Amino acid sequence: MSLIYRSSYYLTYLALQPIHLICVGERSYNLFVLVGSAEEIEVKIPPNGELF
């Protein structure tokens, strides 16, 4: 199962947080996810899949 699928599932169904934006950095290829009802949670996932 991919990391983005697991992360999305956790955020939406278990943590009950809406996901507003998912994008990939052009230079770093990091995955950025903007989450929360007020867009207050930022998640950065590097290409190797390790969460900070």
Side-chain angles (χ1 to χ4, degrees):
M1 199 177 318
S2 73
L3 179 63
I4 188 62
Y5 177 82
R6 287 184 287 155
S7 301
S8 300
Y9 179 84
Y10 173 79
L11 290 168
T12 56
Y13 292 105
L14 300 177
L16 301 176
Q17 297 293 321
I19 296 175
H20 294 279
L21 176 70
I22 297 175
C23 64
V24 177
E26 291 180 14
R27 288 179 275 189
S28 65
Y29 295 107
N30 288 335
L31 186 67
F32 297 95
V33 185
L34 187 58
V35 184
S37 57
E39 301 175 4
E40 71 274 9
I41 303 169
E42 298 176 16
V43 179
K44 181 171 88 171
I45 305 170
N48 63 8
E50 293 181 11
L51 293 174
F52 296 114

